Amino acid sequence: MSKEKTEVFSTFDPIYQTWNILDMNNRCLFYGTIDALEEWLDKNKDKYHEQVH
């Protein structure tokens, strides 16, 4: 049985100088540095799939 992953996307916030991961409802799931963002995506790859624009 295949488990569906939640689609997310990353964006940069120039005001706070953070990278953010948002779901398709624009709910922020993570914010921080680019290194921390990549680590978060790697840790959560079973639940989330990054949508590429």
Side-chain angles (χ1 to χ4, degrees), residues 11-21 30-37:
T11 186
F12 183 72
D13 182 339
I15 295 171
Y16 294 105
Q17 301 287 306
T18 59
W19 283 92
N20 307 304
I21 296 176
F30 168 86
Y31 65 93
T33 65
I34 188 67
D35 292 332
L37 177 139

Side-chain angles (χ1 to χ4, degrees), residues 9-50:
F9 64 96
S10 58
T11 186
F12 183 72
D13 182 339
I15 295 171
Y16 294 105
Q17 301 287 306
T18 59
W19 283 92
N20 307 304
I21 296 176
L22 305 168
D23 66 12
M24 293 303 153
N25 294 316
N26 288 325
R27 184 174 58 127
C28 184
L29 304 174
F30 168 86
Y31 65 93
T33 65
I34 188 67
D35 292 332
L37 177 139
E38 290 174 355
E39 184 178 320
W40 187 93
L41 285 170
D42 191 48
K43 283 183 183 178
N44 292 285
K45 64 185 171 191
D46 293 337
K47 291 171 42 176
Y48 299 101
H49 172 71
E50 185 176 18

